[in-house]
Each structure stands twice: as structure tokens, then as C-alpha cells.
Amino acid sequence: MKKKNSKKATVIALYDTDLGLVLNWLRLKKAITSSGEKREVGSGYAATVKSKVTKEQLNQIVKDRFGSFAKVI
């Protein structure tokens, strides 16, 4: 059964460098505690992260800074 306010999320970006920038930005903002390794999925790249905030808040932080280049699922 899935938790309602899960602290694990997946960050997705089209390019490896974009994903690296997003992960570094989230570390700088102290929004995540750790991140998994980058992996290639479909037409982009993804990494699983453990966050200090909810997925919705994490998605808002990413969208404010990077717009349509990255998203949190």
C-alpha cells in the first residue's frame, strides 16, 4: 500500500546534464536528502530521490526553476 505523503520521488529530464543540474539545485535548496544513480528511461533520464518535502512541493521547486525541462513524478 502506498503512503499518502510519500517522501520518495522520481525526477525526470530529457538530458543527462539537465538532470544533473536539477539534482544539484535540489541539494543546494536542501529539498532532498539523497539521490539514486541516473538511469536512462525512454527518451530521457531519471533518478530516484528521497525528499524532505512532499512530491507536490518538490515538483513546485523544480518547475519554478527549470520550467518544462524537468518534472517530478
Side-chain angles (χ1 to χ4, degrees):
M1 197 162 142
K2 212 172 190 184
K3 289 183 182 178
K4 190 173 186 180
N5 290 324
S6 178
K7 297 295 182 171
K8 288 185 181 179
T10 303
V11 180
I12 298 176
L14 277 176
Y15 300 104
D16 185 34
T17 53
D18 290 343
L19 183 59
L21 289 172
V22 171
L23 294 175
N24 285 335
W25 176 253
L26 292 174
R27 283 187 198 103
L28 181 68
K29 298 288 282 181
K30 298 190 184 336
I32 61 172
T33 57
S34 65
S35 63
E37 61 184 55
K38 298 176 193 173
R39 61 187 188 277
E40 193 169 348
V41 291
S43 62
Y45 292 86
T48 304
V49 297
K50 287 186 183 177
S51 67
K52 294 182 180 179
V53 296
T54 64
K55 282 184 186 179
E56 291 80 20
Q57 292 170 332
L58 193 63
N59 192 31
Q60 190 62 40
I61 292 170
V62 170
K63 289 295 178 188
D64 286 346
R65 177 71 175 168
F66 296 99
S68 64
F69 291 106
K71 68 178 180 176
V72 177
I73 58 169

